[in-house]
Every structure is written in C-alpha cells, then in structure tokens.
Amino acid sequence: MKILVGYKRVVDYNVRIQVKPDGSGVVTDGVKLSANPFDDIALEEALRLREKGVAEEVVVVGIGPADLTAHLRNGLAMGANRAIHVVTSDAVQPLTAARVFLKLIEKEQPGLFIVGKQAIDDDANQTGQMLAALWDRPQATFAGKVEIADGKATVTREVDAGLETIEVELPAVITTDLRLNEPRFIKLPDIMKAKAKPIDSIDFASLGVEAHDHLKTTHYAPPVKRGKGVMVKDAAELVAALKQKGLL
Amino acid sequence: MSKILVIAEHLDGKLNSSTARAVSAAVAVKAESIDVLVLGDSIDAVAADAARIEGVSKVLTVARAENAHPLAAVLAPQIAKAANGYSHVFAPSTTFGKDVAPRVAALLGVAQVSDVMSVESSHTFKRPIYAGNAIVTVEANADHAVVATIRTASWPAANSGANSAPIEALSLDVTLPTHTRFVELKQGSSDRPDLQSASKVVSGGRGVGSKENFDIIYKFADKIGAAVGASRAAVDAGYVPNEMQVGQTGKIIAPELYMAIGISGAIQHLTGIKDAGTIVAINKDGEAPIFEIADIGLVGDLFKLIPELERAMG
C-alpha cells in the first residue's frame, strides 16, 4: 500500500503572531516557518505503518511557492520515500487543497491519505473531511490510535464525549490528533540522504483545479486585550475578591 | 432573506447545549426562518427538546437505523440533501460539527467558515486564526449556501421552554455508504458539570504533579460546583483523560470563572480560555505567562494554597 501525507508549512507554533497595523494581514516576513505539528504526526504515523510492513511507500505532498521544496526535504529527511510539490504562489484554502489532493490521489492511487486534523495558521480543520467527501471515501478524523488489517482501519477518535472507535474500509482519509504519536527527530545523515530523494514538481495550473476561493478575508485584527489583572497575597484575599465579584 | 438549517448535536437521547448556541448565531443573522435538523435512530425526545428552543421555526427529523451514531460519512449526504433551499447550514464547532460540516460543504461544493465568533451580516463573519492571536473578518459568497461551524464559547445558549415549534419527519432519498462503521464509545464517567457549559471551571496543569495529586483539584472543584479541566501537559502526562483538555486543540470554553492551577499558560492553552469572565491563576512561578491574562493572580504552592482557600471559604 502507498500512503500520501498532506504536509503543510506554517508559522512555527512558538512564534507570537503580530497583526499588521493596517489590518491587511499578519506579519510573516522573517518569521520562522515549520511543519504544521499535526502533519508531522501524520508523517510519523505513515512511517510507522511502513516500518510495520503495512505500507511500502510514503509520499509527502505539499502545496505552495517554489521555496516549499526545502520544507518537503525535511519530510524526506524524516523518512518519506519521495515528495510531490504542487507549485503555486497563491494562498490555498481548504476546499482548493482538497481538490488538489484528489487529483494527486487519482494519479497515485494510495490506500491511505493521512493529514493533520488542522493547520495551526488558519485553524480551519476542514481539508481532510473535504477530501474524503470529494473522493467519496470514509474519513476518520481526530485519530488518537490507528490499526490497519484486512483492508480496513480501526481508528480511535478523540471526541468531546471521550474516545470513539470506528472501523473504515480502505482507501480512506485519516486526520491526526496530538496524542497519536511522538514524531521522530531528524538526524544529520538523513538530511544528507534526503538530498538524493526525488521531488516531483507540478504546476498548479496544469492540474485543472478550480482555484476559486469562496471566502474573502477583508480584515485582520488583534484579539481584544483583557484588562490588567491584580495580584493577591494570600488565599483569604483571593476568596474575598471572588466573593466581591459574586463568583463564590 | 436567509433561511438557516441548524444541525442538532445529541448523545444518549439528550440534546447537547451546543445546538442552542448555534441557534443564537442563527438568530444573529436575522433569518426569516431557523430550522433544526435532527438525525438519529430514535429522536423523539431530542426533537421535542429542539422544538422548545426560542427562535426555532421548525424541527426536521430523519430517523434511520444508520443514524444511530454520528458518523460523518453517513450523515453528510443526508444533510447536504436536506440543505436544498437553505441559505445557511450551521453546526456547532464541537468535534461532532467539525467532523461533519466540512464533508457537507465539500458535497455542496462550497467553502466553510469555521468557528464563527460573531455575525457581522448575513454573509460576513468574524473568526479566530493563529490560535486566537488574530481575528479575521471573512465574507462568504452570497451566490450559494454558507456552511459554517459556530464557536460555542462565543455564543450563549438560546433560551428554551417558551417555544413549541412544529416537528416534521423528513424523508430523504439518499443512498448511504456502508464503508464506515461505529465500534464503541468510551465516555469519561463524571458526575461533575459539563466542561463546555459549566459556569465555573477549575483546571490543573503539569504543576499538579501526578494522577493521584489531581484529587486535590477534583475536591476543590466539587466544593465550588465547578467542572474540571486540564492543560495539554496534564493530559499528556496521563493525569487525566483527553476529553478534559482545554485549549486550541482541546475544548474552547467561556465560563464565568476559570481557575488555572499549576498551569504555566502556553499560547495554545490561553486560546481555550480567552473568553472566560474572570480568570484566576495560582502558580508558584510568578513569571508564568498565565499571569499576563489572569484577572486575579496568586503566587505560591498549590498544595498549600488550595487547603487554605477551602478554609477561607468556610
């Protein structure tokens, strides 16, 4: 089986994002970029499935500008066999990303598509579900545990009520939650080896995907700041303050 | 004029309060009608509950054995079919809504607005990005249906009781997939208030130190009638189950009182509590980021301070 992994590059999760004063966007110039943490988990899971003999090949797929290649090399250094880079300088919304991934699926015929449950930049949490719908295949979102046997995946999902287990026939889309696994670190020799691995570049326009984005972002604003708080010196003062607010 | 279809969330024959919160957002659109769609196997009690929510025009029901469990692959084609004639489809931004709504949007061939925190006009909404560190105004295309999930922490639950909307069974001619099957649901057993709707929440973090030590948090929460939450660090360390996690990747809550105990306050955690009425932080590190957003802070050892708090409350 072949596994495709959606691999997005985002502003590093430790960066404190700044909104531009004119409301036109957030400051991204010179800001550290990294793999979306949930996609690293997706790649790790795919690699483990390959190590278990469930999959033969793991392919990372990314959509973005020319310099996204460096990001995809990180995925190759982590252990992916090869990468596919869909080149576009435009920002891509989830529905368009899902349409692109479907084109790659039609060509590659994977048994599984794994992607993070959400990207930490747009926080949309949509792409995996949309892809599953367009592909007309099952989805197992928020996966905390994945077992694959006999052409089906048994997935334990992290839902509000607790842990839900479902069974889906392959091929399917899985989106990963935080506790699925601990992604491995990249070692220096692997970075060298990754340089020899193939990256397929595909021009976005050649895919024939309708890139029409239905959502228009008109303004960016910083969140409303909370007023400055007070420090109390002991438990009695805290209880008094809460009683005064009518909270105790 | 807008006609809105709200997807009801329910479990064990009970309507989830997230549904009434999604109705509040629908009311803010100033819609001509707000219908609630209930999909399940036995849905009478849930439909009756939904009909009592103020602002609801009509409750539509689809009772099928296949709908016994909320499987997105099974529900989405039915919702997409039922959405015909509606200008908006709203679902709560819970794990249920997040799972099913994008699948509906893709079937309709439209984009989705995730985590609506305010309604500016029928097609303009505000939503958080970058873990709540920026708020964007987005405009959806008015030529077709808007699919959106409603950030429950941003909306009060619409009042319930005074309304008695008519209930109508809907028959949808949809072939349902069999490739997705429910196996089991392991629920956290808790007699405490529900984390997402509680007016008071007490959360513990890594500073609590162990699963056994978490008892001090539970005991204190019970004393003030609060739900119990946790930071990701406490969940990852195995102190508490994952459904208690508060933050960007866990639950986003807006209680009147939030007490963060032994939680340093990573950005991802703060995202989950930014809309709380009053935030109290108890931490032994006076430099912890949690104090930057806390309304009331107290520096000290939680194992000493919590018993003192209990005594001071009398």
Side-chain angles (χ1 to χ4, degrees), chain A:
Chain A
M1 177 169 80
K2 186 192 292 183
I3 303 178
L4 256 51
V5 177
Y7 201 58
K8 189 179 184 181
R9 183 179 63 172
V10 297
V11 171
D12 189 86
Y13 73 98
N14 280 315
V15 171
R16 276 207 179 199
I17 213 79
Q18 299 291 327
V19 175
K20 291 180 186 164
D22 66 356
S24 65
V26 297
V27 178
T28 49
D29 288 345
V31 167
K32 188 186 176 197
L33 301 174
S34 303
N36 177 41
F38 294 101
D39 295 346
D40 257 346
I41 293 169
L43 176 53
E44 175 65 34
E45 195 64 19
L47 297 174
R48 289 183 190 191
L49 289 169
R50 193 185 61 194
E51 282 154 9
K52 278 186 209 159
V54 173
E56 293 84 44
E57 193 183 26
V58 173
V59 184
V60 284
V61 296
I63 309 169
D67 71 348
L68 187 73
T69 311
H71 169 66
L72 293 169
R73 288 260 176 240
N74 284 337
L76 296 175
M78 223 172 116
N81 299 76
R82 61 190 171 90
I84 302 175
H85 178 186
V86 176
V87 186
T88 172
S89 51
D90 297 330
V92 167
Q93 289 187 16
L95 184 59
T96 306
R99 286 171 174 158
V100 167
F101 289 148
L102 183 65
K103 292 283 180 189
L104 303 183
I105 282 171
E106 283 165 359
K107 186 162 163 272
E108 298 282 341
Q109 298 288 322
L112 202 55
F113 190 101
I114 314 184
V115 65
K117 75 166 176 179
Q118 76 193 69
I120 60 164
D121 51 3
D122 63 14
D123 282 333
N125 198 329
Q126 300 173 9
T127 304
Q129 294 88 317
M130 288 181 158
L131 173 61
L134 301 177
W135 194 11
D136 197 16
R137 292 305 308 166
Q139 68 189 46
T141 54
F142 322 133
K145 193 175 167 205
V146 174
E147 275 166 22
I148 292 182
D150 310 323
K152 59 179 202 267
T154 305
V155 179
T156 301
R157 308 175 54 235
E158 303 206 351
V159 297
D160 290 336
L163 296 171
E164 183 198 66
T165 304
I166 62 170
E167 196 179 87
V168 297
E169 287 169 14
L170 301 182
V173 175
I174 292 176
T175 77
T176 59
D177 215 320
L178 274 173
R179 274 166 292 276
L180 180 58
N181 61 48
E182 189 82 37
R184 66 196 64 186
F185 287 106
I186 297 169
K187 294 190 217 64
L188 189 60
D190 297 329
I191 297 175
M192 302 310 290
K193 266 185 253 167
K195 287 183 179 160
K197 291 184 181 177
I199 298 182
D200 253 350
S201 276
I202 302 175
D203 184 36
F204 180 89
S206 74
L207 286 173
V209 166
E210 191 203 333
H212 184 62
D213 280 338
H214 300 289
L215 285 187
K216 206 163 72 191
T217 300
T218 55
H219 188 71
Y220 292 74
V224 178
K225 274 224 173 357
R226 298 182 69 95
K228 184 105 185 74
V230 295
M231 299 299 284
V232 292
K233 66 173 197 312
D234 58 25
E237 235 182 70
L238 175 55
V239 169
L242 290 177
K243 279 194 174 149
Q244 201 197 348
K245 286 183 170 232
L247 291 167
L248 279 185

Side-chain angles (χ1 to χ4, degrees), chain A residues 226-235 237-245 247, chain B residues 257-260 277-283 290-299:
Chain A
R226 298 182 69 95
K228 184 105 185 74
V230 295
M231 299 299 284
V232 292
K233 66 173 197 312
D234 58 25
E237 235 182 70
L238 175 55
V239 169
L242 290 177
K243 279 194 174 149
Q244 201 197 348
K245 286 183 170 232
L247 291 167
Chain B
L257 172 65
Y258 184 77
M259 298 186 72
T278 298
I279 298 175
V280 175
I282 298 177
N283 204 298
I290 189 81
F291 288 116
E292 287 170 31
I293 70 153
D295 300 288
I296 308 174
L298 177 55
V299 178

